Amino acid sequence: MSDTDDGWVASKVQLDRESYRRRRTRRSVLIASVSTVVVVAVVVLVVVNTPGWPRFRSTFLDLSYGWEVLPDIASGLWLNIRLMVICEIAILIVALVVALLRSLRGPAWFPLRALAIAYTDLFRGLPLILVLFLLGFGMPSLRLDWLPKSGLFWGCVALVLTYGAYVSEVLRAGIESVHPSQRAAARSLGLNHGKTMRFVVVPQAVRRVLPPLLNDLVSLMKDTGLISVLGVVYDAVLNAKIETSQTYNYTPYVVAGVLFVIITIPLTRLTDWVARRQGWTGAGGTV
Amino acid sequence: MTNLGKQPAAGGGGLLQIDGLRKAYGDQVILRDLTLSVPEHQCLVLIGASGSGKSTLLRCINLLEQVDDGTILLQGNDITDPRVDADTVRAQVGIVFQAFNLFPHMSVLDNITLAPRRVHGIDRGTAERQAREMLDRVGLADKAKARPDDLSGGQQQRVAIARALVNKPLLMLFDEVTSALDPELVGEVLTLLTDLKHDGTTMLVATHEMAFAREVADQVVFLADGSIAEAGPPSQVMDHPSDPRTQKFLRRMSF
Ligand SMILES: Nc1ncnc2c1ncn2[C@@H]1O[C@H](COP(=O)(O)OP(=O)(O)OP(=O)(O)O)[C@@H](O)[C@H]1O
Ligand SMILES: [Mg+2]
């Protein structure tokens, strides 16, 4: 916009338009601020005046206790973050393989396709908590020497299997959304099925489903906290639980919650940003 | 398998030789007992009403569709034989579509180098040099780094042509390459096609551009009801059509 050197001076109409827009922006900012303050004030007043408030405050919002347990929980959270990164990589690999298997055509591939379908149907239907219990407690109890016994390991496997099923469906939707003419164009150049997928279809598919993929990543971050039900992983949630069971004060849970939110907010913002940049219509949109 | 150096038989033969081709979708027969041949360095123009099967024929030649009967010989080899590697055949037959079908996630240069690098195993430097030469030829030397979506329709179509030509195909198929273009952009693409013809490219062109057909075609083929209603040099088919369907079609096209 540096072409003011053409001697352009804004006309009166343009100046009027701009000053009107400025006034309108100021007014909406003012209205938004006032209404936010009023709503917050009302909520605080209502909550503080409930009969159980003093008790609630001491068991859930004990600031000094919260500060005391913060380092423990934060170090647990570091484990959650590492778990998320490792699981996410495994999930993407599993999901891509399953999505590609499902997109194979022709009778020769039927067994693999059927297997992939059975896998997604099964793991999308099972509640994550059930998979965690079945694998986390079930696998080690088989007493097979060659199987890992670590609850952490099986917890991750449960997350990868469950999320792999969801993410593979997202990727498959993306693959199928690439118009058949793109495939035809690639095949007509002599690219075989594999190369067509690798260079033409999958790159376009991934771009399209990036927002929902990031959405699943946020969700995965939170669900790493569920591994604590196996009681073997000293992550943020379990550390909070240990503290709580000693004092019957629930502040550690609140601290863990706040930390999770702080971690996931940048991810959600990133998701929004990517979505906006691609003109994706938000969480309501189907992929 | 037929031998490569076989001489064209009288009245037939050529780089591309189609015999008794049949193609149906379900019980709708699109092409029946179709026979035609394209000699090397010649331009055969396919005309016919919408839905007469021009695209279907080109897609069969490129093996994007499976034929239901008949043979398609390319340099004497039957490419419809299921033992033939379809990818190898496609790499020798270029096709340009009505809707360009450039890959939107790649730059113009990457679109053109994709097949040379990934199919023909040419190294990146050589592939890019060839791609730039080809872009120069289609008049888009300055657009190598552009995204397809930032180009006009005519420019996109010329990139699509460059992308097919860079593989040095034996035969080029053009499927109504100007019908998605604004009228003022049609000319630049047709000029390019005309140049290709003069350079000796063997081509099979489906089009609704009658003036182009008249100017460039060695042979015009009028498709109707799934087979060839009339074929011959443009002066014969377009100026003195004998089949009533051709006459009716040409009358409609000229208004
Ligand atoms: N995949 C398909 N499945 C079923 N029918 C098809 C398919 N592709 C084409 N057809 C039918 O085949 C017939 C011929 O189509 P084709 O696209 O070859 O016509 P065309 O001569 O290229 O027409 P146009 O000039 O409009 O491009 C049409 O009736 C069409 O509906
Ligand atoms: Mg067509």
Side-chain angles (χ1 to χ4, degrees), chain B residues 54-238:
Chain B
K54 302 182 294 293
S55 301
T56 306
L57 173 59
L58 297 183
R59 292 172 62 88
C60 286
I61 299 171
N62 204 241
L63 303 183
L64 291 171
E65 300 286 348
Q66 240 176 52
V67 306
D68 294 318
D69 204 350
T71 57
I72 303 176
L73 307 187
L74 183 67
Q75 283 191 326
N77 300 309
D78 182 11
I79 57 175
T80 56
D81 187 323
R83 281 159 295 194
V84 164
D85 178 31
D87 293 322
T88 313
V89 173
R90 292 195 194 104
Q92 296 175 335
V93 178
I95 184 165
V96 181
F97 304 93
Q98 177 175 347
F100 329 141
N101 299 350
L102 295 178
F103 306 129
H105 61 297
M106 296 179 180
S107 70
V108 162
L109 195 67
D110 291 343
N111 262 276
I112 301 177
T113 56
L114 179 67
R117 290 178 60 200
R118 307 299 178 183
V119 179
H120 303 280
I122 295 173
D123 69 277
R124 193 195 183 110
T126 315
E128 291 194 348
R129 209 188 58 245
Q130 291 173 349
R132 284 178 192 278
E133 281 166 13
M134 203 48 80
L135 274 176
D136 198 33
R137 175 157 181 206
V138 301
L140 292 171
D142 54 334
K143 299 292 184 192
K145 291 290 171 200
R147 293 265 151 183
D149 286 346
D150 298 335
L151 301 181
S152 75
Q155 292 171 333
Q156 290 190 46
Q157 192 57 294
R158 285 185 280 152
V159 172
I161 294 171
R163 181 175 72 178
L165 283 177
V166 82
N167 299 310
K168 303 187 183 67
L170 297 169
L171 170 70
M172 280 293 299
L173 310 173
F174 294 94
D175 189 5
E176 291 188 42
V177 289
T178 56
S179 36
L181 298 179
D182 292 334
E184 73 266 29
L185 300 177
V186 169
E188 62 187 61
V189 173
L190 291 183
T191 309
L192 176 58
L193 258 56
T194 311
D195 288 349
L196 291 178
K197 155 70 178 129
H198 291 143
D199 292 346
T201 313
T202 312
M203 45 208 252
L204 185 48
V205 185
T207 186
H208 288 299
E209 298 288 336
M210 293 302 138
F212 169 80
R214 192 186 299 273
E215 186 188 327
V216 179
D218 294 297
Q219 221 191 134
V220 175
V221 167
F222 178 72
L223 270 189
D225 306 320
S227 56
I228 295 175
E230 195 152 357
S235 56
Q236 180 199 321
V237 176
M238 306 185 73

